[in-house]
Amino acid sequence: QVRLVESGGGLVQPGGSLRLSCEPFGAFFSLDATAWYRQAPGKERERVAIIRSGGGGIEYADSVKGRFTISRDDPKSTVYLQMNSLKPEDTAVYYCNADIFGPTGQENYWGQGTQVTVSS
């Protein structure tokens, strides 16, 4: 059984920065395509960024381009989301979603979410 754990959320003032981390725990072989999603109260969950394995590319939502950076540390099997120039509208629960190759093949997992609040 694999579980994804996000960390790094918190309260930050507008214009500030946070770095989120997503790390799998359990028995697995590789962390493949990994994405960050967010869901604000009363809104649908939206994909913020995705990073694919093996140089497969990176994509961002228009709302975060130029401010957020997704990256991965393959030896640590960890994916990061560096968030700069944060705005109040970035306030949401941020979720990690990943395709993980394990003993039973490739499966898709969600983390439990981490709260990001941007407020003065």
Side-chain angles (χ1 to χ4, degrees), residues 18-53:
L18 284 174
R19 189 178 79 157
L20 306 183
S21 299
C22 172
E23 184 177 4
F25 290 88
F28 67 96
F29 300 129
S30 65
L31 179 66
D32 300 328
T34 304
W36 285 97
Y37 287 76
R38 67 185 180 186
Q39 187 165 22
K43 294 188 177 181
E44 294 186 356
R45 190 172 296 189
E46 64 167 340
R47 194 176 76 186
V48 173
I50 185 169
I51 185 167
R52 295 180 174 85
S53 59

PDB file of all heavy atoms in Angstrom, residues 18-53:
ATOM      1  N   LEU A  18       5.898  29.974  -0.661  1.00  0.00           N
ATOM      2  CA  LEU A  18       5.836  28.700   0.041  1.00  0.00           C
ATOM      3  C   LEU A  18       6.355  27.620  -0.897  1.00  0.00           C
ATOM      4  O   LEU A  18       6.256  27.751  -2.125  1.00  0.00           O
ATOM      5  CB  LEU A  18       4.399  28.342   0.441  1.00  0.00           C
ATOM      6  CG  LEU A  18       3.755  29.050   1.634  1.00  0.00           C
ATOM      7  CD1 LEU A  18       2.292  28.640   1.740  1.00  0.00           C
ATOM      8  CD2 LEU A  18       4.497  28.738   2.923  1.00  0.00           C
ATOM      9  N   ARG A  19       6.889  26.552  -0.313  1.00  0.00           N
ATOM     10  CA  ARG A  19       7.274  25.399  -1.109  1.00  0.00           C
ATOM     11  C   ARG A  19       6.563  24.166  -0.569  1.00  0.00           C
ATOM     12  O   ARG A  19       6.725  23.812   0.599  1.00  0.00           O
ATOM     13  CB  ARG A  19       8.786  25.170  -1.099  1.00  0.00           C
ATOM     14  CG  ARG A  19       9.205  24.099  -2.107  1.00  0.00           C
ATOM     15  CD  ARG A  19      10.699  23.878  -2.176  1.00  0.00           C
ATOM     16  NE  ARG A  19      11.187  23.056  -1.099  1.00  0.00           N
ATOM     17  CZ  ARG A  19      12.334  22.352  -1.145  1.00  0.00           C
ATOM     18  NH1 ARG A  19      13.079  22.406  -2.232  1.00  0.00           N
ATOM     19  NH2 ARG A  19      12.721  21.644  -0.103  1.00  0.00           N
ATOM     20  N   LEU A  20       5.794  23.543  -1.437  1.00  0.00           N
ATOM     21  CA  LEU A  20       5.095  22.314  -1.079  1.00  0.00           C
ATOM     22  C   LEU A  20       5.928  21.115  -1.519  1.00  0.00           C
ATOM     23  O   LEU A  20       6.624  21.164  -2.533  1.00  0.00           O
ATOM     24  CB  LEU A  20       3.731  22.252  -1.750  1.00  0.00           C
ATOM     25  CG  LEU A  20       2.789  23.445  -1.522  1.00  0.00           C
ATOM     26  CD1 LEU A  20       1.452  23.176  -2.213  1.00  0.00           C
ATOM     27  CD2 LEU A  20       2.594  23.720  -0.049  1.00  0.00           C
ATOM     28  N   SER A  21       5.831  20.038  -0.743  1.00  0.00           N
ATOM     29  CA  SER A  21       6.511  18.793  -1.079  1.00  0.00           C
ATOM     30  C   SER A  21       5.496  17.666  -1.156  1.00  0.00           C
ATOM     31  O   SER A  21       4.510  17.657  -0.411  1.00  0.00           O
ATOM     32  CB  SER A  21       7.565  18.452  -0.019  1.00  0.00           C
ATOM     33  OG  SER A  21       8.549  19.451   0.065  1.00  0.00           O
ATOM     34  N   CYS A  22       5.766  16.719  -2.036  1.00  0.00           N
ATOM     35  CA  CYS A  22       4.913  15.531  -2.191  1.00  0.00           C
ATOM     36  C   CYS A  22       5.827  14.315  -2.241  1.00  0.00           C
ATOM     37  O   CYS A  22       6.700  14.228  -3.107  1.00  0.00           O
ATOM     38  CB  CYS A  22       4.090  15.642  -3.466  1.00  0.00           C
ATOM     39  SG  CYS A  22       3.171  14.150  -3.895  1.00  0.00           S
ATOM     40  N   GLU A  23       5.629  13.402  -1.301  1.00  0.00           N
ATOM     41  CA  GLU A  23       6.502  12.244  -1.209  1.00  0.00           C
ATOM     42  C   GLU A  23       5.672  10.985  -0.981  1.00  0.00           C
ATOM     43  O   GLU A  23       4.781  10.970  -0.134  1.00  0.00           O
ATOM     44  CB  GLU A  23       7.497  12.418  -0.067  1.00  0.00           C
ATOM     45  CG  GLU A  23       8.506  11.308   0.053  1.00  0.00           C
ATOM     46  CD  GLU A  23       9.505  11.565   1.163  1.00  0.00           C
ATOM     47  OE1 GLU A  23       9.367  12.579   1.885  1.00  0.00           O
ATOM     48  OE2 GLU A  23      10.427  10.749   1.323  1.00  0.00           O
ATOM     49  N   PRO A  24       5.945   9.912  -1.724  1.00  0.00           N
ATOM     50  CA  PRO A  24       5.234   8.654  -1.490  1.00  0.00           C
ATOM     51  C   PRO A  24       5.903   7.834  -0.396  1.00  0.00           C
ATOM     52  O   PRO A  24       7.131   7.856  -0.249  1.00  0.00           O
ATOM     53  CB  PRO A  24       5.325   7.946  -2.842  1.00  0.00           C
ATOM     54  CG  PRO A  24       6.579   8.472  -3.456  1.00  0.00           C
ATOM     55  CD  PRO A  24       6.800   9.844  -2.918  1.00  0.00           C
ATOM     56  N   PHE A  25       5.093   7.122   0.353  1.00  0.00           N
ATOM     57  CA  PHE A  25       5.588   6.204   1.383  1.00  0.00           C
ATOM     58  C   PHE A  25       4.970   4.840   1.132  1.00  0.00           C
ATOM     59  O   PHE A  25       3.804   4.724   0.796  1.00  0.00           O
ATOM     60  CB  PHE A  25       5.217   6.705   2.774  1.00  0.00           C
ATOM     61  CG  PHE A  25       5.971   7.936   3.195  1.00  0.00           C
ATOM     62  CD1 PHE A  25       5.491   9.193   2.881  1.00  0.00           C
ATOM     63  CD2 PHE A  25       7.170   7.824   3.881  1.00  0.00           C
ATOM     64  CE1 PHE A  25       6.189  10.326   3.255  1.00  0.00           C
ATOM     65  CE2 PHE A  25       7.871   8.953   4.263  1.00  0.00           C
ATOM     66  CZ  PHE A  25       7.384  10.211   3.937  1.00  0.00           C
ATOM     67  N   GLY A  26       5.789   3.802   1.321  1.00  0.00           N
ATOM     68  CA  GLY A  26       5.316   2.442   1.095  1.00  0.00           C
ATOM     69  C   GLY A  26       6.205   1.746   0.074  1.00  0.00           C
ATOM     70  O   GLY A  26       7.282   2.233  -0.260  1.00  0.00           O
ATOM     71  N   ALA A  27       5.740   0.628  -0.406  1.00  0.00           N
ATOM     72  CA  ALA A  27       6.515  -0.180  -1.348  1.00  0.00           C
ATOM     73  C   ALA A  27       6.184   0.234  -2.773  1.00  0.00           C
ATOM     74  O   ALA A  27       5.047   0.053  -3.222  1.00  0.00           O
ATOM     75  CB  ALA A  27       6.212  -1.655  -1.149  1.00  0.00           C
ATOM     76  N   PHE A  28       7.161   0.806  -3.466  1.00  0.00           N
ATOM     77  CA  PHE A  28       6.951   1.193  -4.852  1.00  0.00           C
ATOM     78  C   PHE A  28       8.281   1.188  -5.580  1.00  0.00           C
ATOM     79  O   PHE A  28       9.358   1.169  -4.956  1.00  0.00           O
ATOM     80  CB  PHE A  28       6.299   2.590  -4.939  1.00  0.00           C
ATOM     81  CG  PHE A  28       7.172   3.724  -4.468  1.00  0.00           C
ATOM     82  CD1 PHE A  28       7.912   4.468  -5.361  1.00  0.00           C
ATOM     83  CD2 PHE A  28       7.251   4.026  -3.123  1.00  0.00           C
ATOM     84  CE1 PHE A  28       8.723   5.502  -4.926  1.00  0.00           C
ATOM     85  CE2 PHE A  28       8.055   5.056  -2.667  1.00  0.00           C
ATOM     86  CZ  PHE A  28       8.796   5.789  -3.572  1.00  0.00           C
ATOM     87  N   PHE A  29       8.228   1.235  -6.914  1.00  0.00           N
ATOM     88  CA  PHE A  29       9.443   1.228  -7.708  1.00  0.00           C
ATOM     89  C   PHE A  29       9.778   2.609  -8.260  1.00  0.00           C
ATOM     90  O   PHE A  29      10.935   2.991  -8.331  1.00  0.00           O
ATOM     91  CB  PHE A  29       9.306   0.235  -8.867  1.00  0.00           C
ATOM     92  CG  PHE A  29       9.057  -1.177  -8.428  1.00  0.00           C
ATOM     93  CD1 PHE A  29       8.008  -1.920  -8.962  1.00  0.00           C
ATOM     94  CD2 PHE A  29       9.856  -1.783  -7.473  1.00  0.00           C
ATOM     95  CE1 PHE A  29       7.770  -3.212  -8.551  1.00  0.00           C
ATOM     96  CE2 PHE A  29       9.624  -3.086  -7.053  1.00  0.00           C
ATOM     97  CZ  PHE A  29       8.579  -3.796  -7.592  1.00  0.00           C
ATOM     98  N   SER A  30       8.758   3.338  -8.701  1.00  0.00           N
ATOM     99  CA  SER A  30       9.039   4.635  -9.301  1.00  0.00           C
ATOM    100  C   SER A  30       7.839   5.559  -9.203  1.00  0.00           C
ATOM    101  O   SER A  30       6.686   5.127  -9.191  1.00  0.00           O
ATOM    102  CB  SER A  30       9.442   4.479 -10.770  1.00  0.00           C
ATOM    103  OG  SER A  30       8.382   3.964 -11.541  1.00  0.00           O
ATOM    104  N   LEU A  31       8.156   6.860  -9.101  1.00  0.00           N
ATOM    105  CA  LEU A  31       7.155   7.925  -9.109  1.00  0.00           C
ATOM    106  C   LEU A  31       7.113   8.464 -10.527  1.00  0.00           C
ATOM    107  O   LEU A  31       8.112   8.989 -11.012  1.00  0.00           O
ATOM    108  CB  LEU A  31       7.583   9.009  -8.108  1.00  0.00           C
ATOM    109  CG  LEU A  31       6.701  10.240  -7.961  1.00  0.00           C
ATOM    110  CD1 LEU A  31       5.358   9.867  -7.365  1.00  0.00           C
ATOM    111  CD2 LEU A  31       7.402  11.275  -7.086  1.00  0.00           C
ATOM    112  N   ASP A  32       5.992   8.309 -11.197  1.00  0.00           N
ATOM    113  CA  ASP A  32       5.905   8.712 -12.594  1.00  0.00           C
ATOM    114  C   ASP A  32       5.285  10.104 -12.708  1.00  0.00           C
ATOM    115  O   ASP A  32       5.650  10.997 -11.950  1.00  0.00           O
ATOM    116  CB  ASP A  32       5.172   7.632 -13.374  1.00  0.00           C
ATOM    117  CG  ASP A  32       5.893   6.282 -13.297  1.00  0.00           C
ATOM    118  OD1 ASP A  32       7.147   6.288 -13.205  1.00  0.00           O
ATOM    119  OD2 ASP A  32       5.245   5.226 -13.306  1.00  0.00           O
ATOM    120  N   ALA A  33       4.354  10.324 -13.605  1.00  0.00           N
ATOM    121  CA  ALA A  33       3.761  11.662 -13.756  1.00  0.00           C
ATOM    122  C   ALA A  33       3.122  12.105 -12.446  1.00  0.00           C
ATOM    123  O   ALA A  33       2.368  11.355 -11.823  1.00  0.00           O
ATOM    124  CB  ALA A  33       2.721  11.666 -14.863  1.00  0.00           C
ATOM    125  N   THR A  34       3.443  13.327 -12.034  1.00  0.00           N
ATOM    126  CA  THR A  34       2.940  13.861 -10.760  1.00  0.00           C
ATOM    127  C   THR A  34       2.384  15.254 -10.977  1.00  0.00           C
ATOM    128  O   THR A  34       3.006  16.071 -11.660  1.00  0.00           O
ATOM    129  CB  THR A  34       4.058  13.898  -9.713  1.00  0.00           C
ATOM    130  OG1 THR A  34       4.618  12.586  -9.580  1.00  0.00           O
ATOM    131  CG2 THR A  34       3.530  14.345  -8.356  1.00  0.00           C
ATOM    132  N   ALA A  35       1.236  15.513 -10.386  1.00  0.00           N
ATOM    133  CA  ALA A  35       0.581  16.801 -10.568  1.00  0.00           C
ATOM    134  C   ALA A  35       0.176  17.393  -9.229  1.00  0.00           C
ATOM    135  O   ALA A  35      -0.047  16.667  -8.253  1.00  0.00           O
ATOM    136  CB  ALA A  35      -0.650  16.654 -11.456  1.00  0.00           C
ATOM    137  N   TRP A  36       0.086  18.709  -9.210  1.00  0.00           N
ATOM    138  CA  TRP A  36      -0.503  19.422  -8.074  1.00  0.00           C
ATOM    139  C   TRP A  36      -1.858  19.966  -8.518  1.00  0.00           C
ATOM    140  O   TRP A  36      -1.969  20.583  -9.586  1.00  0.00           O
ATOM    141  CB  TRP A  36       0.393  20.574  -7.628  1.00  0.00           C
ATOM    142  CG  TRP A  36       1.604  20.124  -6.880  1.00  0.00           C
ATOM    143  CD1 TRP A  36       2.856  19.928  -7.375  1.00  0.00           C
ATOM    144  CD2 TRP A  36       1.666  19.813  -5.483  1.00  0.00           C
ATOM    145  NE1 TRP A  36       3.700  19.515  -6.383  1.00  0.00           N
ATOM    146  CE2 TRP A  36       3.000  19.444  -5.201  1.00  0.00           C
ATOM    147  CE3 TRP A  36       0.741  19.815  -4.440  1.00  0.00           C
ATOM    148  CZ2 TRP A  36       3.419  19.068  -3.925  1.00  0.00           C
ATOM    149  CZ3 TRP A  36       1.159  19.451  -3.172  1.00  0.00           C
ATOM    150  CH2 TRP A  36       2.483  19.085  -2.927  1.00  0.00           C
ATOM    151  N   TYR A  37      -2.850  19.755  -7.682  1.00  0.00           N
ATOM    152  CA  TYR A  37      -4.181  20.298  -7.865  1.00  0.00           C
ATOM    153  C   TYR A  37      -4.492  21.195  -6.668  1.00  0.00           C
ATOM    154  O   TYR A  37      -3.842  21.098  -5.622  1.00  0.00           O
ATOM    155  CB  TYR A  37      -5.229  19.178  -7.919  1.00  0.00           C
ATOM    156  CG  TYR A  37      -5.240  18.364  -9.185  1.00  0.00           C
ATOM    157  CD1 TYR A  37      -4.258  17.399  -9.426  1.00  0.00           C
ATOM    158  CD2 TYR A  37      -6.248  18.525 -10.131  1.00  0.00           C
ATOM    159  CE1 TYR A  37      -4.273  16.643 -10.584  1.00  0.00           C
ATOM    160  CE2 TYR A  37      -6.283  17.770 -11.290  1.00  0.00           C
ATOM    161  CZ  TYR A  37      -5.294  16.828 -11.502  1.00  0.00           C
ATOM    162  OH  TYR A  37      -5.318  16.076 -12.660  1.00  0.00           O
ATOM    163  N   ARG A  38      -5.496  22.040  -6.849  1.00  0.00           N
ATOM    164  CA  ARG A  38      -5.969  22.816  -5.703  1.00  0.00           C
ATOM    165  C   ARG A  38      -7.483  22.953  -5.780  1.00  0.00           C
ATOM    166  O   ARG A  38      -8.071  22.898  -6.863  1.00  0.00           O
ATOM    167  CB  ARG A  38      -5.313  24.198  -5.654  1.00  0.00           C
ATOM    168  CG  ARG A  38      -5.689  25.143  -6.792  1.00  0.00           C
ATOM    169  CD  ARG A  38      -4.892  26.435  -6.695  1.00  0.00           C
ATOM    170  NE  ARG A  38      -5.219  27.369  -7.774  1.00  0.00           N
ATOM    171  CZ  ARG A  38      -4.580  28.514  -7.962  1.00  0.00           C
ATOM    172  NH1 ARG A  38      -3.572  28.866  -7.170  1.00  0.00           N
ATOM    173  NH2 ARG A  38      -4.944  29.314  -8.962  1.00  0.00           N
ATOM    174  N   GLN A  39      -8.055  23.119  -4.608  1.00  0.00           N
ATOM    175  CA  GLN A  39      -9.503  23.299  -4.533  1.00  0.00           C
ATOM    176  C   GLN A  39      -9.806  24.355  -3.488  1.00  0.00           C
ATOM    177  O   GLN A  39      -9.492  24.180  -2.308  1.00  0.00           O
ATOM    178  CB  GLN A  39     -10.206  21.994  -4.195  1.00  0.00           C
ATOM    179  CG  GLN A  39     -11.720  22.093  -4.277  1.00  0.00           C
ATOM    180  CD  GLN A  39     -12.392  20.737  -4.291  1.00  0.00           C
ATOM    181  OE1 GLN A  39     -11.833  19.737  -3.845  1.00  0.00           O
ATOM    182  NE2 GLN A  39     -13.604  20.677  -4.806  1.00  0.00           N
ATOM    183  N   ALA A  40     -10.407  25.440  -3.947  1.00  0.00           N
ATOM    184  CA  ALA A  40     -10.831  26.513  -3.057  1.00  0.00           C
ATOM    185  C   ALA A  40     -12.285  26.269  -2.648  1.00  0.00           C
ATOM    186  O   ALA A  40     -13.023  25.583  -3.362  1.00  0.00           O
ATOM    187  CB  ALA A  40     -10.688  27.859  -3.748  1.00  0.00           C
ATOM    188  N   PRO A  41     -12.712  26.826  -1.519  1.00  0.00           N
ATOM    189  CA  PRO A  41     -14.097  26.624  -1.065  1.00  0.00           C
ATOM    190  C   PRO A  41     -15.097  27.035  -2.140  1.00  0.00           C
ATOM    191  O   PRO A  41     -14.997  28.120  -2.717  1.00  0.00           O
ATOM    192  CB  PRO A  41     -14.189  27.532   0.159  1.00  0.00           C
ATOM    193  CG  PRO A  41     -12.800  27.638   0.665  1.00  0.00           C
ATOM    194  CD  PRO A  41     -11.932  27.614  -0.560  1.00  0.00           C
ATOM    195  N   GLY A  42     -16.033  26.147  -2.433  1.00  0.00           N
ATOM    196  CA  GLY A  42     -17.078  26.446  -3.404  1.00  0.00           C
ATOM    197  C   GLY A  42     -16.649  26.350  -4.854  1.00  0.00           C
ATOM    198  O   GLY A  42     -17.432  26.669  -5.753  1.00  0.00           O
ATOM    199  N   LYS A  43     -15.412  25.928  -5.084  1.00  0.00           N
ATOM    200  CA  LYS A  43     -14.920  25.831  -6.461  1.00  0.00           C
ATOM    201  C   LYS A  43     -14.518  24.399  -6.791  1.00  0.00           C
ATOM    202  O   LYS A  43     -14.280  23.585  -5.898  1.00  0.00           O
ATOM    203  CB  LYS A  43     -13.731  26.769  -6.663  1.00  0.00           C
ATOM    204  CG  LYS A  43     -14.087  28.239  -6.559  1.00  0.00           C
ATOM    205  CD  LYS A  43     -12.915  29.114  -6.962  1.00  0.00           C
ATOM    206  CE  LYS A  43     -13.286  30.583  -6.935  1.00  0.00           C
ATOM    207  NZ  LYS A  43     -12.145  31.444  -7.354  1.00  0.00           N
ATOM    208  N   GLU A  44     -14.429  24.114  -8.086  1.00  0.00           N
ATOM    209  CA  GLU A  44     -13.999  22.795  -8.513  1.00  0.00           C
ATOM    210  C   GLU A  44     -12.490  22.655  -8.355  1.00  0.00           C
ATOM    211  O   GLU A  44     -11.748  23.631  -8.370  1.00  0.00           O
ATOM    212  CB  GLU A  44     -14.390  22.565  -9.973  1.00  0.00           C
ATOM    213  CG  GLU A  44     -15.885  22.494 -10.211  1.00  0.00           C
ATOM    214  CD  GLU A  44     -16.236  22.119 -11.641  1.00  0.00           C
ATOM    215  OE1 GLU A  44     -15.313  21.993 -12.463  1.00  0.00           O
ATOM    216  OE2 GLU A  44     -17.432  21.956 -11.928  1.00  0.00           O
ATOM    217  N   ARG A  45     -12.069  21.415  -8.210  1.00  0.00           N
ATOM    218  CA  ARG A  45     -10.639  21.146  -8.136  1.00  0.00           C
ATOM    219  C   ARG A  45     -10.023  21.432  -9.493  1.00  0.00           C
ATOM    220  O   ARG A  45     -10.559  21.027 -10.531  1.00  0.00           O
ATOM    221  CB  ARG A  45     -10.400  19.695  -7.717  1.00  0.00           C
ATOM    222  CG  ARG A  45      -8.959  19.367  -7.388  1.00  0.00           C
ATOM    223  CD  ARG A  45      -8.825  17.971  -6.799  1.00  0.00           C
ATOM    224  NE  ARG A  45      -9.518  17.849  -5.520  1.00  0.00           N
ATOM    225  CZ  ARG A  45      -9.401  16.796  -4.734  1.00  0.00           C
ATOM    226  NH1 ARG A  45      -8.608  15.777  -5.082  1.00  0.00           N
ATOM    227  NH2 ARG A  45     -10.062  16.746  -3.594  1.00  0.00           N
ATOM    228  N   GLU A  46      -8.882  22.120  -9.507  1.00  0.00           N
ATOM    229  CA  GLU A  46      -8.211  22.446 -10.760  1.00  0.00           C
ATOM    230  C   GLU A  46      -6.756  21.999 -10.705  1.00  0.00           C
ATOM    231  O   GLU A  46      -6.127  22.029  -9.641  1.00  0.00           O
ATOM    232  CB  GLU A  46      -8.269  23.955 -11.040  1.00  0.00           C
ATOM    233  CG  GLU A  46      -7.528  24.822 -10.041  1.00  0.00           C
ATOM    234  CD  GLU A  46      -7.333  26.251 -10.505  1.00  0.00           C
ATOM    235  OE1 GLU A  46      -7.422  26.519 -11.727  1.00  0.00           O
ATOM    236  OE2 GLU A  46      -7.071  27.106  -9.640  1.00  0.00           O
ATOM    237  N   ARG A  47      -6.254  21.606 -11.853  1.00  0.00           N
ATOM    238  CA  ARG A  47      -4.850  21.209 -11.924  1.00  0.00           C
ATOM    239  C   ARG A  47      -3.990  22.465 -12.041  1.00  0.00           C
ATOM    240  O   ARG A  47      -4.207  23.307 -12.913  1.00  0.00           O
ATOM    241  CB  ARG A  47      -4.584  20.280 -13.090  1.00  0.00           C
ATOM    242  CG  ARG A  47      -3.227  19.588 -13.001  1.00  0.00           C
ATOM    243  CD  ARG A  47      -3.023  18.597 -14.118  1.00  0.00           C
ATOM    244  NE  ARG A  47      -2.708  19.266 -15.381  1.00  0.00           N
ATOM    245  CZ  ARG A  47      -2.590  18.641 -16.542  1.00  0.00           C
ATOM    246  NH1 ARG A  47      -2.782  17.338 -16.614  1.00  0.00           N
ATOM    247  NH2 ARG A  47      -2.297  19.311 -17.641  1.00  0.00           N
ATOM    248  N   VAL A  48      -3.002  22.545 -11.184  1.00  0.00           N
ATOM    249  CA  VAL A  48      -2.102  23.691 -11.138  1.00  0.00           C
ATOM    250  C   VAL A  48      -0.868  23.457 -11.995  1.00  0.00           C
ATOM    251  O   VAL A  48      -0.446  24.326 -12.753  1.00  0.00           O
ATOM    252  CB  VAL A  48      -1.696  23.976  -9.682  1.00  0.00           C
ATOM    253  CG1 VAL A  48      -0.634  25.051  -9.602  1.00  0.00           C
ATOM    254  CG2 VAL A  48      -2.924  24.361  -8.851  1.00  0.00           C
ATOM    255  N   ALA A  49      -0.287  22.273 -11.871  1.00  0.00           N
ATOM    256  CA  ALA A  49       0.936  21.962 -12.607  1.00  0.00           C
ATOM    257  C   ALA A  49       1.110  20.456 -12.660  1.00  0.00           C
ATOM    258  O   ALA A  49       0.621  19.734 -11.789  1.00  0.00           O
ATOM    259  CB  ALA A  49       2.153  22.611 -11.945  1.00  0.00           C
ATOM    260  N   ILE A  50       1.829  20.009 -13.683  1.00  0.00           N
ATOM    261  CA  ILE A  50       2.142  18.587 -13.818  1.00  0.00           C
ATOM    262  C   ILE A  50       3.563  18.443 -14.323  1.00  0.00           C
ATOM    263  O   ILE A  50       4.026  19.258 -15.140  1.00  0.00           O
ATOM    264  CB  ILE A  50       1.143  17.869 -14.754  1.00  0.00           C
ATOM    265  CG1 ILE A  50       1.411  16.370 -14.790  1.00  0.00           C
ATOM    266  CG2 ILE A  50       1.173  18.466 -16.147  1.00  0.00           C
ATOM    267  CD1 ILE A  50       0.311  15.556 -15.485  1.00  0.00           C
ATOM    268  N   ILE A  51       4.257  17.439 -13.811  1.00  0.00           N
ATOM    269  CA  ILE A  51       5.601  17.126 -14.282  1.00  0.00           C
ATOM    270  C   ILE A  51       5.641  15.645 -14.608  1.00  0.00           C
ATOM    271  O   ILE A  51       5.234  14.806 -13.794  1.00  0.00           O
ATOM    272  CB  ILE A  51       6.678  17.522 -13.244  1.00  0.00           C
ATOM    273  CG1 ILE A  51       8.081  17.307 -13.806  1.00  0.00           C
ATOM    274  CG2 ILE A  51       6.498  16.804 -11.912  1.00  0.00           C
ATOM    275  CD1 ILE A  51       9.171  17.973 -12.968  1.00  0.00           C
ATOM    276  N   ARG A  52       6.118  15.332 -15.794  1.00  0.00           N
ATOM    277  CA  ARG A  52       6.160  13.947 -16.216  1.00  0.00           C
ATOM    278  C   ARG A  52       7.571  13.398 -16.007  1.00  0.00           C
ATOM    279  O   ARG A  52       8.522  14.161 -15.908  1.00  0.00           O
ATOM    280  CB  ARG A  52       5.706  13.829 -17.666  1.00  0.00           C
ATOM    281  CG  ARG A  52       4.234  14.215 -17.825  1.00  0.00           C
ATOM    282  CD  ARG A  52       3.747  14.112 -19.248  1.00  0.00           C
ATOM    283  NE  ARG A  52       2.307  14.343 -19.323  1.00  0.00           N
ATOM    284  CZ  ARG A  52       1.765  15.548 -19.404  1.00  0.00           C
ATOM    285  NH1 ARG A  52       2.532  16.624 -19.419  1.00  0.00           N
ATOM    286  NH2 ARG A  52       0.449  15.678 -19.472  1.00  0.00           N
ATOM    287  N   SER A  53       7.695  12.110 -15.921  1.00  0.00           N
ATOM    288  CA  SER A  53       8.992  11.497 -15.684  1.00  0.00           C
ATOM    289  C   SER A  53       9.750  11.363 -16.994  1.00  0.00           C
ATOM    290  O   SER A  53       9.178  11.485 -18.074  1.00  0.00           O
ATOM    291  CB  SER A  53       8.814  10.123 -15.039  1.00  0.00           C
ATOM    292  OG  SER A  53       8.042   9.282 -15.870  1.00  0.00           O
TER     293      SER A  53
END
